Structure formats: structure tokens, C-alpha cells
Amino acid sequence: MAKTLDEQLAVSGKIKLADYDSRATTGFDGGKDDSAKSLTLLGEELSDLQERLYANGDAKISDRKVLLLLQGMDTSGKGGIIRHAAGLVDPLGLTITSFKKPTQEELKHDFLWRIEKGLPAPGKIGVFDRSQYEDVLIARVRQLAEPQEIERRYDAINEFEKKFVESGGVVIKCFLHIHSDDQKERLAARLEDPAKHWKYNPNDVNERMLWDDYQRAYEIAIERCSTEWAPWHLIPSGRKWYRNWAVAALLAEKLRGLNLEWPPANFDVDAEKARLANT
Amino acid sequence: MAKTLDEQLAVSGKIKLADYDSRATTGFDGGKDDSAKSLTLLGEELSDLQERLYANGDAKISDRKVLLLLQGMDTSGKGGIIRHAAGLVDPLGLTITSFKKPTQEELKHDFLWRIEKGLPAPGKIGVFDRSQYEDVLIARVRQLAEPQEIERRYDAINEFEKKFVESGGVVIKCFLHIHSDDQKERLAARLEDPAKHWKYNPNDVNERMLWDDYQRAYEIAIERCSTEWAPWHLIPSGRKWYRNWAVAALLAEKLRGLNLEWPPANFDVDAEKARLANT
């Protein structure tokens, strides 16, 4: 039996990111020219699936909700996925949360405090642009917390995600995998194009100088937090078209798996037809 | 000189809604078959315009923001516009707020309290699915407030919108105009299709029975609150394709009018190129 995309892209245990090809097109039958049409078709299906999810939440007959969590180095494509994959569904059904440097208020609480506030309600698809993982990634690389606190966080994240899943949530964690050369090329392109200067921050190069440390931090996060209930997926993101397709396809696969029916009428259909006819 | 769509669709003063054709296609050169292509082209332009707005907000060099406010009778197409017009831009740049029956908490405050919380931040396009106008529409028709309180609200709304405009905001108020027969047909279609039963509520027919009262309440709201800084637009919404195109085109026209440039680099571009090359 053919493997699902979920199975093909899932990663767990001790892995070496350097062993993965950032330009792979795992599970996609064709090349860039075929991807636009595939994405359009996927968009139509996603639109229907998302509406079913929303309808069930709206009718309060289901607690299902989906969290699409995006992590990756600068330029790996978190924004591109929000625009081109999440953007395929009705924006009313989305809640997008971008996690930036924590505010003073946020720092007063446990690191999961602000994360919990961003979780999607029943019927919604939540998108995390960065996430709780920053607290074991940049926090580890830049030593923003004590080692024992970082250790505690891996377990806390696993518990947190388990609780969300037990409450009807589906978690889709995507690590957008690019090669260091991909990033160099993309940052250079931003510097060449005045319409992209606003996306560039000199700090991006500072972070880039710690590339190997970040890759290691991601490997540890995957080892510690790719669980049965919330596995990590490695999305080869060297080709933008594949990256967008893969995340959209993964989202569709998960939504399809929920087997959501349209909510039944909670009123007498014939009586309402008669009432309407009389107006 | 050709009138802008803004000018063609703006309404103010004493008007009779019954005089307006819900199936008009004001400002659109062609029919339904031409609209899909037009909407696609408009989507590309909107996407660029929205990104400029977002970039300026992100760079903190502009306080511009846009509020798209949608009002109309049940089935007039507020949801359809969010999906098909607002859905053309990057969802990260949107903040959508649906105003339902006020909660106990909301009722403790002035009616504009919850509205203010939904206003878009600089760089964002806010969409209001219903709005402050419910407080002079259903509130008037269903007598949910004293007459003098309703009177006070028209002025309060004008002041509120003026303040938003003075702070860099653009307000696009759209009344989605349908004929009573359009609504009957659309409600009947919802009752015929089990995939649409979740959208139907028996209360929709109760409200429909007060059709004339609601039309009158809209006429008064337009008379009192179509101001120079925040005019009302009447969007003929008997044809869904025109309705979606008109709102998208109005939004594009307003964004175009902001003449937003890409934010200039706030760093030394050549120095950064050199730094990047060395990594």
C-alpha cells in the first residue's frame, strides 16, 4: 500500500539534517510546471474540507481543530506557506499567530502561556509562524535560559501538545528544511531587490553565522519532541513550489482523515420550507 | 473624466433602497463569464498592494490601515466576500472580526468598546463581518435600546470613524444590497442542500418578516452616517460574481490611492552584501 505523505515526511529519533536533500520532491509526481495545477486542485479540496471543519465547530457538534506549526531558518518559507498554502482556504477559518521575541509581559509567564492563547478554537485551523519551539531553539543557541530549564521544556512541550490532541486537536509540525546555500542565495536576492529590503534584517546574518548550532538544536528538538501524537515532518524547502504543495497536501491529508460530515439540521426542514414559502 | 468605482457606488443623504437594482453591475464591463478572469487579475494586484501596506506597517514608517466593513441582510454575502475578495490577499495581512450577539461582558461596556478592539493595526486590512451598525439596525428594529440612545449612537459612530481616519485609517463601508426575492431564493437553496443546513437558522425567517423595518433602518443609517470621511457604498449583491468583484475592486482602488512605496532599507545595503558574502 502506498505510504501517505504524512508517513513519507515524518521524522523522529536521532537524525542528521545534513543527510536530507533540501531539494527533494518527496511524494510529488512531476515537476514545477505541474505544481500550479496540483495546488489549484488541492485548493478546491482544502476549501471544502476546511468548510466542513468550520461547520462542525460552528454547530458545536465537534471539538476538532487543526494546528499547523511552521518552523525553519530565516528564508525557509514560513511566510510563503501562509500566503500560498494556508491562503487557499477561507480566511475566516484561519487563526494565524506570529511568535516574535517575547514581550516583557510574556516573559513574566511560563513560556507556554502565550502559546496556549494562540491555539485554535474548535472548527478552526490555527497557523503558528514560529512557536513554542523557539524556546528550545534560539533559547538553546543563544543561551537565553539555563540548561536545566531548556531540558524541562522538551517534556513540557510534549505534555502541552498531548493535551491539545486529547481535546480534539490535530498537530501538524513542519520543519522547513533548507541548505545553508539556499539561505545565502535568498538573503542575497533580498538585498538585490529594493521591494524586499523591508524583509531583511542585519541580524539575519548574525543568526546565519550560527547555522550549525541551529541545525543541532533542531535535531535535538526533533529527537525529543517527535511524538506519536505530534510527529515532526521535514519539508524539503529548497524548491518553493514543492514546499507549498507539500504543506497544503499534508494539511489536506489530515483534514480528509477527520472524515467530517456536514452537520445535520437542528430544525424541522419541511416546517421551515413552509414557513419561508409564506413570507 | 471617468468616475471611480468609489464615486459610482457611494450613497448618502435620503435614499430609498427600493429604487436600487440589486442585480446591477455598475462599473463592470462585461458579464459573469468575464468576471473570473477580472477577479484573478485583481487578486494579483491586491496581493501586491496589500504587501506594500503590510511592509510599511512592519517597518513602522506609516500608520496607514484599512477597514472593510460589511453589512447586509442574511444571505447578502458577507461570508462570500470574505472568502472570495478578502481571501485574495495574504491572510497574514488580514484581521477578521465577526460581531455576533453581544456577550454579557460586552453589554457591560459602551457599544463601541468591542468594535474598537477589532480595529486593524497599522499595515493591516481589517474586515468587519457586521459591525457597530448592528447597534442602530437590529437595535432599532428590535427595540433593544431606548430611542434616545439609538439617536446618540449615530453621532458616536461618526466620531469614532473620524478618529480612526485621522489616525491613518481608511474606512470602506459596504451595504450588500439584495432584493427580498433574492433572499427568499437563497434561503430556499440552503434548505434544499444538506451541506448548507448548518448555515440556516430558523431565526433567519423571523428577521425576514421584518424586512421593511430593516430596509428603513439601513436607509436611516446611511442618511446619518454616510460622511465625507467614511461614506457608505451600496453594493448591488443580487449577482454574487458582481458583488465579489465590486468589493475587491473597491478595496484595490482605495489601496492604490494610498500610493505606498516599498520601505527604504534601514541598513547599509553594500555592507550587508559584503557581510553575507563572507558567510
Side-chain angles (χ1 to χ4, degrees):
Chain A
M1 194 178 146
K3 275 189 169 183
T4 61
L5 193 61
D6 177 32
E7 289 165 337
Q8 291 179 76
L9 296 176
V11 281
S12 62
K14 285 185 195 296
I15 65 161
K16 280 276 163 215
L17 290 176
D19 294 344
Y20 290 81
D21 179 5
S22 73
R23 298 178 64 79
T25 59
T26 314
F28 187 76
D29 186 21
K32 184 174 179 178
D33 290 350
D34 310 295
S35 68
K37 201 181 160 198
S38 287
L39 203 60
T40 303
L41 289 173
L42 210 45
E44 286 165 20
E45 192 192 357
L46 269 174
S47 203
D48 175 78
L49 290 164
Q50 177 270 327
E51 193 175 2
R52 284 171 191 260
L53 179 68
Y54 186 88
N56 277 274
D58 188 76
K60 296 188 169 46
I61 58 170
S62 156
D63 54 10
R64 303 320 300 261
K65 54 234 170 192
V66 174
L67 175 64
L68 176 66
L69 184 155
L70 305 174
Q71 281 287 161
M73 301 296 286
D74 278 327
T75 77
S76 62
K78 298 179 287 292
I81 285 171
I82 292 173
R83 182 177 284 240
H84 301 290
L88 293 169
V89 310
D90 187 345
L92 194 60
L94 290 177
T95 54
I96 304 172
T97 315
S98 295
F99 293 99
K100 314 219 162 161
K101 194 178 163 186
T103 61
Q104 284 304 316
E105 170 72 6
E106 286 167 351
L107 286 172
K108 280 186 208 153
H109 297 82
D110 181 63
F111 76 106
L112 291 171
W113 180 74
R114 64 174 188 162
I115 307 297
E116 178 136 34
K117 292 200 296 177
L119 288 176
K124 292 290 192 92
I125 297 174
V127 181
F128 277 5
D129 171 11
R130 303 187 187 268
S131 67
Q132 60 269 30
Y133 286 95
E134 290 297 318
D135 297 289
V136 294
L137 292 165
I138 190 171
R140 185 179 190 102
V141 173
R142 293 281 187 186
Q143 299 175 25
L144 305 178
E146 297 293 321
Q148 66 269 33
E149 166 61 9
I150 307 266
E151 275 306 304
R152 183 189 73 81
R153 289 180 183 174
Y154 296 108
D155 295 332
I157 288 173
N158 289 341
E159 276 309 301
F160 176 80
E161 293 175 357
K162 193 174 195 177
K163 210 171 125 197
F164 177 70
V165 169
E166 285 170 352
S167 79
V170 173
V171 184
I172 310 174
K173 298 193 296 207
C174 297
F175 167 63
L176 311 181
H177 177 55
I178 53 172
H179 189 276
S180 165
D181 292 346
D182 297 323
Q183 189 191 53
K184 191 167 188 173
E185 200 175 288
R186 291 176 188 180
L187 286 175
R190 286 187 184 172
L191 286 169
E192 283 304 326
D193 183 354
K196 290 184 177 157
H197 283 165
W198 70 278
K199 290 187 180 183
Y200 183 89
N201 186 321
N203 191 46
D204 297 347
V205 170
N206 303 344
E207 293 293 294
R208 173 172 169 74
M209 289 173 181
L210 299 167
W211 184 271
D212 291 341
D213 294 341
Y214 272 105
Q215 297 294 295
R216 183 73 197 118
Y218 270 109
E219 287 167 353
I220 296 167
I222 289 168
E223 184 183 347
R224 298 289 300 272
C225 300
S226 195
T227 56
E228 207 182 308
W229 56 89
W232 269 104
H233 297 86
L234 183 146
I235 313 291
S237 299
R239 300 178 200 266
K240 295 177 183 178
W241 65 263
Y242 172 77
R243 171 200 75 197
N244 295 340
W245 174 85
V247 175
L250 203 52
L251 179 60
E253 196 173 274
K254 288 291 181 182
L255 285 169
R256 227 179 273 133
L258 296 179
N259 292 312
L260 291 168
E261 300 293 333
W262 293 107
N266 56 4
F267 51 84
D268 180 334
V269 177
D270 289 331
E272 289 302 316
K273 283 183 185 173
R275 238 163 50 92
L276 176 63
N278 280 329
T279 63
Chain B
M1 195 179 142
K3 276 190 169 181
T4 61
L5 193 60
D6 177 32
E7 289 165 338
Q8 292 179 75
L9 297 175
V11 281
S12 62
K14 284 185 195 297
I15 66 162
K16 279 276 166 215
L17 289 177
D19 294 342
Y20 290 82
D21 179 4
S22 74
R23 297 177 63 79
T25 58
T26 314
F28 187 76
D29 184 22
K32 184 176 179 177
D33 289 349
D34 310 295
S35 69
K37 201 182 159 197
S38 286
L39 203 60
T40 303
L41 288 173
L42 211 44
E44 286 164 21
E45 192 192 358
L46 269 174
S47 203
D48 175 77
L49 289 165
Q50 176 270 326
E51 193 175 0
R52 283 171 192 260
L53 180 69
Y54 186 88
N56 277 273
D58 188 75
K60 297 188 170 45
I61 57 170
S62 156
D63 53 9
R64 304 319 301 258
K65 54 234 171 193
V66 174
L67 175 63
L68 177 66
L69 183 155
L70 305 173
Q71 281 287 161
M73 301 295 286
D74 277 328
T75 76
S76 62
K78 298 178 288 291
I81 285 172
I82 292 173
R83 182 177 283 240
H84 300 291
L88 293 170
V89 310
D90 188 344
L92 194 60
L94 291 177
T95 54
I96 304 171
T97 315
S98 296
F99 294 99
K100 315 221 161 158
K101 194 177 162 186
T103 61
Q104 284 304 314
E105 171 71 5
E106 287 166 350
L107 287 171
K108 281 186 208 152
H109 298 82
D110 182 63
F111 76 105
L112 291 171
W113 179 75
R114 64 174 188 162
I115 308 296
E116 177 136 33
K117 293 200 295 176
L119 288 177
K124 293 289 193 96
I125 298 174
V127 181
F128 278 4
D129 171 11
R130 303 186 187 269
S131 67
Q132 60 268 30
Y133 287 94
E134 289 298 318
D135 297 288
V136 293
L137 292 165
I138 189 170
R140 185 179 189 102
V141 173
R142 293 283 188 186
Q143 299 173 26
L144 305 178
E146 297 293 322
Q148 66 267 35
E149 165 63 7
I150 307 265
E151 276 306 305
R152 183 190 73 82
R153 289 180 183 174
Y154 296 109
D155 295 331
I157 288 173
N158 288 341
E159 276 308 301
F160 176 80
E161 293 175 356
K162 192 173 195 178
K163 210 171 126 195
F164 178 69
V165 169
E166 285 171 351
S167 79
V170 173
V171 184
I172 310 173
K173 299 192 296 208
C174 297
F175 167 62
L176 312 180
H177 177 56
I178 53 173
H179 190 277
S180 165
D181 292 347
D182 297 324
Q183 189 191 55
K184 191 167 188 172
E185 200 175 286
R186 291 175 187 181
L187 286 175
R190 285 187 183 172
L191 286 169
E192 283 304 325
D193 183 354
K196 290 184 175 157
H197 283 165
W198 69 278
K199 290 187 181 184
Y200 183 89
N201 185 322
N203 191 47
D204 298 346
V205 170
N206 303 344
E207 293 295 295
R208 174 173 169 74
M209 289 173 180
L210 299 166
W211 183 272
D212 291 341
D213 294 341
Y214 273 105
Q215 298 293 294
R216 184 72 196 117
Y218 270 109
E219 287 166 353
I220 296 167
I222 288 167
E223 184 184 347
R224 298 289 300 271
C225 299
S226 196
T227 56
E228 207 182 307
W229 55 89
W232 268 104
H233 297 86
L234 183 146
I235 312 291
S237 300
R239 300 179 201 264
K240 294 178 183 176
W241 65 263
Y242 172 78
R243 172 199 76 197
N244 296 338
W245 173 85
V247 175
L250 203 52
L251 180 59
E253 198 173 272
K254 288 290 182 184
L255 285 169
R256 227 180 273 133
L258 297 179
N259 292 312
L260 292 168
E261 300 293 333
W262 292 108
N266 57 4
F267 51 84
D268 180 335
V269 177
D270 289 331
E272 289 301 316
K273 283 184 185 172
R275 241 165 45 95
L276 177 62
N278 279 330
T279 62

